[in-house]
Amino acid sequence: MKTTLQIDIKKTEKSRLPETDFDDLVFGKSISDHMFVADYVNGEWTDLRIEPYAPLHLNPANATLHYGQSIFEGMKAYKNVEGEILLFRPDANQKRLNESAERMCIPEVPEEVFMEGLFQLLDLDRDWVPAKAGASLYIRPFIFATDDYLGVRPSEKYKFMIFTCPVGNYYSKPVSVKVETKYTRAIEGGTGFAKAAGNYAGSLYPALLAQKQGFDQLLWTDGKNHQHIEESGTMNVMFVINNTLITAPVNTGTILKGITRDSVLTLARESGMKVEERFLKVVELEDALKEGRLQEAFGTGTAATIAHIAKINVNGKDYTLPEKTDNAFSNQVLRKLDAIKYGLEEDTHEWIQKV
Ligand SMILES: Cc1ncc(COP(=O)(O)O)c(C=O)c1O
């Protein structure tokens, strides 16, 4: 990638690589040596720099701590057999970050600031990208308000940062989910489509209640009537009924436009599978479960790519899904996506960018 921006680089004096056990990585706990930082001051992103990963010093009056003007992204980089670093659809994350930014009154980050910051950070920390099959580097870009001011108004100053974490083979065991018909994650006109920190804070309590009842996650329903399925906590959700792939549309502003979701739908359509982007009613889901017509249900997201759903609780009743065969659509699409991400299969969609 051609560099046109000035990014100052201050390297760490002592890498934490030697003390990092790549065979025992806990998601989000091991953090790579460096971070990218840019400050938004006087209407522009300035002081672009890469420096050793370190704590931040914040004033107690920091606006984010009080009013939550904070957004983030999540994406991954992979190492191919030649040891090259492959990024999966970073342009889509950059675009989504700015869509979140607009909704939360946060200034957009220009594409070149995002991309060059990201590429230079990954270039510097390339040894942190695990080489093992199934492992990857999780990347966390985020923006937050930095005004020291108690008052409800958009901050004038912000920080954009990126740090990364090596993560192990993320195999998601089949999950059990509960259809949530009391609490609401998002409502039309709200912030559901944005990757805004507060959306996640608000979802914690209902998710905790469900966990106490023995469920791994929730299936959120629409905030108005709780009549149709929207998405899961950190995943979009898909169903296969009558050999048709059904998933909620993302034009109501209540659902995060998942990049994995889009990739799965693209591959499904290419494979000739019938796809319906429409809301699946809770009663429709329950009828399909009762009559054994629900062939597959799974979540899609960056962390697990595909998380099979083994059990669904609807209106207090548990339904067990058939076990996923190797030939199940979700397994086929998982293998295909993994092959593309690790450079084992030709990237015909221009999804991969090499660092
Ligand atoms: C609420 C929510 N829905 C869906 C997703 C899946 O999005 P993606 O496939 O881009 O990771 C995520 C994860 O980022 C999420 O937090």
Side-chain angles (χ1 to χ4, degrees):
M1 182 176 204
K2 210 167 82 234
T3 301
T4 50
L5 291 177
Q6 173 63 35
I7 299 180
D8 291 329
I9 298 181
K10 187 176 159 217
K11 289 189 189 170
T12 182
E13 284 173 6
K14 191 173 175 293
S15 171
R16 281 176 283 101
L17 265 173
E19 70 216 42
T20 305
D21 182 358
F22 275 69
D23 292 322
D24 186 25
L25 294 167
V26 181
F27 191 95
K29 276 250 164 95
S30 301
I31 304 203
S32 315
D33 280 333
H34 298 93
M35 60 187 187
F36 172 77
V37 190
D39 290 314
Y40 187 83
V41 189
N42 295 327
E44 58 177 338
W45 289 102
T46 59
D47 199 9
L48 278 48
R49 58 204 188 269
I50 290 174
E51 52 192 40
Y53 179 83
L56 296 166
H57 297 281
L58 292 181
N59 190 311
N62 169 277
T64 303
L65 299 179
H66 302 274
Y67 309 115
Q69 237 191 322
S70 173
I71 55 173
F72 67 100
E73 270 304 322
M75 59 210 263
K76 278 181 172 177
Y78 306 81
K79 220 168 229 177
N80 68 10
V81 283
E82 281 90 38
E84 295 169 310
I85 297 172
L86 310 181
L87 269 164
F88 186 71
R89 306 188 71 177
D91 46 327
N93 291 91
Q94 186 266 330
K95 213 171 137 243
R96 190 171 67 185
L97 181 72
N98 282 342
E99 285 168 11
S100 301
E102 184 186 16
R103 179 64 180 83
M104 303 311 286
C105 272
I106 289 173
E108 292 187 4
V109 171
E111 186 183 347
E112 60 171 356
V113 172
F114 183 100
M115 288 300 176
E116 291 199 13
L118 175 65
F119 275 65
Q120 291 206 29
L121 179 67
L122 293 190
D123 192 30
L124 185 62
D125 277 343
R126 54 173 62 239
D127 291 343
W128 283 88
V129 186
K132 271 174 104 181
S136 57
L137 188 78
Y138 184 78
I139 302 164
R140 172 50 59 88
F142 62 113
I143 313 176
F144 64 99
T146 53
D147 274 6
D148 294 324
Y149 171 74
L150 286 188
V152 182
R153 59 137 172 84
S155 179
E156 287 171 358
K157 298 196 295 302
Y158 297 84
K159 256 190 203 319
F160 169 50
M161 304 183 67
I162 310 175
F163 68 84
T164 70
C165 324
V167 294
N169 192 349
Y170 192 106
Y171 166 72
S172 165
K173 72 167 177 56
V175 292
S176 68
V177 297
K178 177 189 156 186
V179 175
E180 177 60 62
T181 51
K182 178 177 175 192
Y183 295 97
T184 297
R185 189 195 88 94
I187 189 102
E188 283 185 38
T191 60
F193 70 92
K195 218 160 158 57
N199 287 345
Y200 297 84
S203 71
L204 294 176
Y205 180 68
L208 190 68
L209 293 181
Q211 278 156 20
K212 281 188 182 156
Q213 297 172 334
F215 302 102
D216 298 306
Q217 295 189 30
L218 292 175
L219 290 187
W220 293 104
T221 53
D222 63 287
K224 230 187 241 169
N225 304 309
H226 300 292
Q227 280 183 355
H228 65 247
I229 306 293
E230 297 235 307
E231 63 175 320
S232 188
T234 56
M235 297 187 293
N236 295 105
V237 61
M238 301 194 178
F239 304 90
V240 180
I241 300 175
N242 299 334
N243 297 319
T244 301
L245 184 65
I246 303 168
T247 193
V250 286
N251 57 4
T252 53
T254 56
I255 295 174
L256 193 83
K257 279 188 210 163
I259 294 157
T260 318
R261 171 192 182 279
D262 182 73
S263 310
V264 168
L265 292 184
T266 301
L267 296 177
R269 288 187 171 112
E270 281 175 11
S271 75
M273 180 135 188
K274 196 170 165 217
V275 172
E276 289 178 2
E277 286 183 71
R278 66 164 178 94
F279 286 117
L280 185 71
K281 293 215 173 78
V282 177
V283 285
E284 208 183 337
L285 171 66
E286 194 169 16
D287 284 348
L289 283 162
K290 274 184 192 156
E291 293 159 18
R293 287 185 291 109
L294 184 66
Q295 295 157 276
E296 298 182 47
F298 55 93
T300 68
T302 295
T305 306
I306 300 285
H308 298 298
I309 295 174
K311 194 168 85 178
I312 306 182
N313 181 283
V314 191
N315 296 321
K317 196 161 183 291
D318 281 346
Y319 296 91
T320 303
L321 274 78
E323 264 189 38
K324 299 281 148 46
T325 61
D326 249 19
N327 243 349
F329 168 75
S330 49
N331 275 329
Q332 288 187 36
V333 82
L334 174 60
R335 284 194 294 270
K336 177 117 184 149
L337 268 175
D338 273 351
I340 296 171
K341 288 174 173 180
Y342 287 94
L344 298 168
E345 188 166 315
E346 198 194 341
D347 168 32
T348 55
H349 307 90
E350 298 186 4
W351 284 343
I352 298 295
Q353 293 195 30
K354 260 185 210 168
V355 176

